[in-house]
Amino acid sequence: MQRWEVLSALADQRVLGIVRAGDPDEAVTLARRLLGAGLCCVEVAFTTPRAAEAIRQVVADAPDGAVVGAGTVLDEADAAAAVAAGAAFLVAPDLDEGVVRAAHHLGVPVMPGTGTVTEMRRALKLGADAVKLFPAAHLGPQWLRDVRAALPALPVVPTGGVTAETLPEWIGAGAVACGMGSWLTSGGDAAASERVTQALAAAAGSPSPRR
């Protein structure tokens, strides 16, 4: 899958499911839950013990059209392990030049974490495919709207505290998609299915970004 195809899949649904678990089996269960509920883009965080093992299993079982990536990628070693396991994209909580460089060397898109305009611009200069705004809830949609008034082409994925209720505000402020974690994965299959449905409906009904 080409880098632009991964980003296109994410932008189409506007929701990125984030899986954090205490062990690889739990991670596989949670990822399958989200993918089975209709989500097409899921990341398995490297805070999960043996995350690469979980990614390998999720990728093997993923339905057609699903895009599985790795989150909380902190260094080049994590990046290499994730891609070797089948990760189609990498997400980091911070801006690390080595992770960006490794991702592109390995042929996958990367979204480093940023929290300031300076970090966002530096990420783009380093070649980041998009930037993760983290933690998003502490900044808010209006902050993103103000930033994109000056940087309208900035591809941003707010993550941290996003729910179905706040997702339309983020999309309206210019986010290409939103990362959603525990709000999506908590509860059993029925609860997750309902929340994925809510999130996708909110994303589909979100207004176009205001310029």
Side-chain angles (χ1 to χ4, degrees):
M1 180 174 284
Q2 300 296 315
R3 283 163 52 187
W4 68 268
E5 292 178 299
V6 173
L7 295 177
S8 178
L10 180 58
D12 284 346
Q13 273 202 338
R14 296 176 166 179
V15 178
L16 170 60
I18 301 169
V19 170
R20 295 184 185 279
D23 59 63
D25 289 340
E26 182 187 8
V28 171
T29 297
L30 294 176
R32 285 174 174 167
R33 183 177 292 168
L34 298 182
L35 294 171
L39 205 59
C40 75
C41 294
V42 171
E43 71 173 68
V44 176
F46 255 67
T47 51
T48 302
R50 307 198 307 280
E53 177 183 324
I55 290 171
R56 185 173 290 106
Q57 189 61 54
V58 174
V59 169
D61 298 339
D64 290 343
V67 182
V68 180
T72 322
V73 177
L74 299 179
D75 53 36
E76 294 94 324
D78 284 350
V83 175
F89 63 89
L90 304 179
V91 182
D94 61 349
L95 177 54
D96 185 284
E97 184 174 351
V99 171
V100 175
R101 185 173 56 246
H104 290 168
H105 176 73
L106 295 164
V108 299
V110 59
M111 292 177 275
T114 61
T116 67
V117 176
T118 299
E119 288 181 336
M120 289 174 167
R121 292 196 64 214
R122 181 165 177 262
L124 294 183
K125 288 179 180 178
L126 290 173
D129 299 270
V131 296
K132 171 181 173 179
L133 178 60
F134 180 77
H138 290 282
L139 295 169
Q142 185 58 51
W143 185 90
L144 177 59
R145 184 175 288 111
D146 292 343
V147 169
R148 291 191 78 258
L151 302 171
L154 183 69
V156 183
V157 180
T159 303
V162 180
T163 66
E165 288 72 28
T166 61
L167 190 149
E169 298 177 50
W170 285 109
I171 299 299
V176 297
C178 290
M180 305 177 76
S182 58
W183 185 86
L184 280 181
T185 59
S186 59
D189 288 347
S193 181
E194 180 179 352
R195 289 178 181 177
V196 168
T197 298
Q198 290 175 1
L200 294 179
S206 297
S208 298
R210 284 174 283 188
R211 302 293 185 185

